[in-house]
């Protein structure tokens, strides 16, 4: 990528997520090589379209849109993210960028984009109540339609009430076919699985999978996904879904269950 391409890609991320991390620019956007990476990051830092993320003396590894940048990308841009959510939202951003790199994603919305537009959230989820928004809502390309998926990143254990609210939200989310949880430890997974099992969430036509955040950090999309009693990499799972040729638009929307129950080889 040249300077303009790096800047435009960084602007799109900041518009969608509210910030852009140096590590993400280096890993996904700028050309490889130490010199090139530092060069492009310095260019972004000096651009009037960006401002440093201010926390005390500033966070040099994060940039946000400046007033000029917000005007340039449009007022629908996500506002600055609170510091406590930076690490969480960077995981979501990286998951989004891996999907984008695979070229299997039709469209996607961050949680903050959905928060800013209630009509969009209602239409996207198929839920008029909106008790819980996903960290990322995205559509996978299919032969004749698309598969709507939700990502939830769980870095810390929440109260039982929070998990119950999440479960009820996905029960009502008529447009969501697949929910993927990135979890910090097995205790969090156990609590979520128990809530899903007792509530019969699978009976609502939704498949649920889990992957470990530590595994994702180390192995990216080669991290293991546990779904429908099987284990395979995130990459292979998504490839297998998008290669499915549905008989109709309806089978495309709900083909994840049949596909995940096939005897696919674990990665």
């Amino acid at each position: 990528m040249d300077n303009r391409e790096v800047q435009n890609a960084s602007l799109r991320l900041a518009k969608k997520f509210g910030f852009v991390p140096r590590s993400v620019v280096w890993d996904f956007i700028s050309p490889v090589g130490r010199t090139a990476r530092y060069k492009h990051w310095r260019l972004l830092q000096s651009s009037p379209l960006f401002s440093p993320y201010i926390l005390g003396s500033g966070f040099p590894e994060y940039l946000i849109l400046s007033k000029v940048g917000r005007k340039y990308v449009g007022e629908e841009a996500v506002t600055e993210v609170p510091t406590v959510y930076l690490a969480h939202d960077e995981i979501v951003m990286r998951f989004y960028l891996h999907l984008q790199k695979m070229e299997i994603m039709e469209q996607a919305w961050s949680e903050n984009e959905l928060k800013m537009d209630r009509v969009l959230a209602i239409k996207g989820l198929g839920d008029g109540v909106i008790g819980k928004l996903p960290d990322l809502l995205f559509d996978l390309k299919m032969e004749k339609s698309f598969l709507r998926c939700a990502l939830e990143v769980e870095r810390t254990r929440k109260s039982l009430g929070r998990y119950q609210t999440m479960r009820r939200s996905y029960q009502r989310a008529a447009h969501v076919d697949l929910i993927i949880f990135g979890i910090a430890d097995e205790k969090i997974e156990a609590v979520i699985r128990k809530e899903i099992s007792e509530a019969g969430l699978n009976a609502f036509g939704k498949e649920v999978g889990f992957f470990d955040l530590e595994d994702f950090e180390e192995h990216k999309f080669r991290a293991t996904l546990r779904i429908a009693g099987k284990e395979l990499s995130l990459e292979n799972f998504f490839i297998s879904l998008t290669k499915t040729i549905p008989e109709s638009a309806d089978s495309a929307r709900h083909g994840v269950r049949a596909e995940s129950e096939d005897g696919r080889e674990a990665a």
Side-chain angles (χ1 to χ4, degrees), residues 41-60:
W41 182 250
R42 285 195 296 268
L43 288 172
L44 292 178
Q45 286 179 306
S46 63
S47 169
L49 299 175
F50 292 99
S51 296
Y53 189 104
I54 301 300
L55 179 67
S57 59
F59 257 26

Side-chain angles (χ1 to χ4, degrees), residues 12 27 55 92 101 103 117 165 172 177 230:
R12 288 192 293 270
D27 290 346
L55 179 67
V92 179
K101 187 176 181 180
E103 299 183 343
D117 190 335
T165 296
R172 295 190 303 263
D177 305 298
K230 301 183 183 299

Side-chain angles (χ1 to χ4, degrees), residues 18-20 51-64 80-86:
F19 69 104
V20 57
S51 296
Y53 189 104
I54 301 300
L55 179 67
S57 59
F59 257 26
E61 59 273 335
Y62 295 98
L63 294 175
I64 59 173
E80 182 178 333
V81 174
T83 308
V84 68
Y85 297 124
L86 285 175

Side-chain angles (χ1 to χ4, degrees), residues 1-10 31 36 39-40 43-44:
M1 285 190 175
D2 60 24
N3 296 344
R4 182 172 292 277
E5 289 173 324
V6 170
Q7 176 178 271
N8 289 340
S10 300
K39 170 192 171 185
H40 284 285
L43 288 172
L44 292 178

Side-chain angles (χ1 to χ4, degrees), residues 16-226:
K16 179 173 289 292
F17 292 97
F19 69 104
V20 57
R22 179 178 63 186
S23 60
V24 167
V25 172
W26 286 358
D27 290 346
F28 289 91
I29 300 175
S30 70
V32 297
R34 179 182 176 88
T35 301
R37 286 174 170 177
Y38 274 101
K39 170 192 171 185
H40 284 285
W41 182 250
R42 285 195 296 268
L43 288 172
L44 292 178
Q45 286 179 306
S46 63
S47 169
L49 299 175
F50 292 99
S51 296
Y53 189 104
I54 301 300
L55 179 67
S57 59
F59 257 26
E61 59 273 335
Y62 295 98
L63 294 175
I64 59 173
L65 293 170
S66 65
K67 291 183 178 179
V68 176
R70 290 186 63 80
K71 185 176 180 180
Y72 180 81
V73 301
E75 289 304 316
E76 69 275 15
V78 169
T79 56
E80 182 178 333
V81 174
T83 308
V84 68
Y85 297 124
L86 285 175
H88 171 279
D89 287 7
E90 183 173 336
I91 296 171
V92 179
M93 184 186 296
R94 286 176 173 273
F95 192 98
Y96 163 81
L97 287 169
H98 281 297
L99 284 173
Q100 189 178 68
K101 187 176 181 180
M102 291 177 67
E103 299 183 343
I104 60 173
M105 188 168 55
E106 187 75 30
Q107 54 188 342
W109 304 271
S110 69
E111 179 183 8
N112 285 322
E113 285 182 306
L114 296 172
K115 282 181 178 178
M116 292 173 61
D117 190 335
R118 181 174 176 80
V119 173
L120 173 64
I122 291 173
K123 289 182 177 179
L125 294 173
D127 175 14
V129 179
I130 309 296
K132 167 70 174 72
L133 292 169
D135 292 323
L136 185 70
L137 186 67
F138 58 97
D139 293 341
L140 295 178
K141 298 176 182 178
M142 304 293 284
E143 181 72 15
K144 297 180 181 178
S145 184
F146 63 89
L147 189 73
R148 182 148 293 170
C149 313
L151 171 69
E152 295 284 355
V153 171
E154 298 292 314
R155 297 176 65 239
T156 58
R157 183 168 175 174
K158 309 297 193 306
S159 68
L160 181 59
R162 290 280 293 275
Y163 291 126
Q164 290 173 340
T165 296
M166 178 172 62
R167 180 261 300 165
R168 287 192 293 267
S169 296
Y170 282 119
Q171 284 178 330
R172 295 190 303 263
H175 295 167
V176 177
D177 305 298
L178 169 67
I179 310 162
I180 301 292
F181 288 92
I183 49 95
D185 58 57
E186 61 184 15
K187 292 181 180 179
I188 295 175
E189 180 174 344
V191 172
I192 296 175
R193 282 190 182 276
K194 185 173 184 292
E195 183 64 30
I196 289 170
S197 176
E198 290 182 351
L201 189 58
N202 285 350
F204 287 78
K206 305 178 195 304
E207 196 62 76
V208 182
F210 296 85
F211 67 93
D212 297 324
L213 293 178
E214 185 176 349
D215 189 14
F216 178 72
E217 181 179 4
E218 181 177 357
H219 298 111
K220 285 61 175 186
F221 255 33
R222 296 189 302 278
T224 299
L225 176 71
R226 298 177 290 279

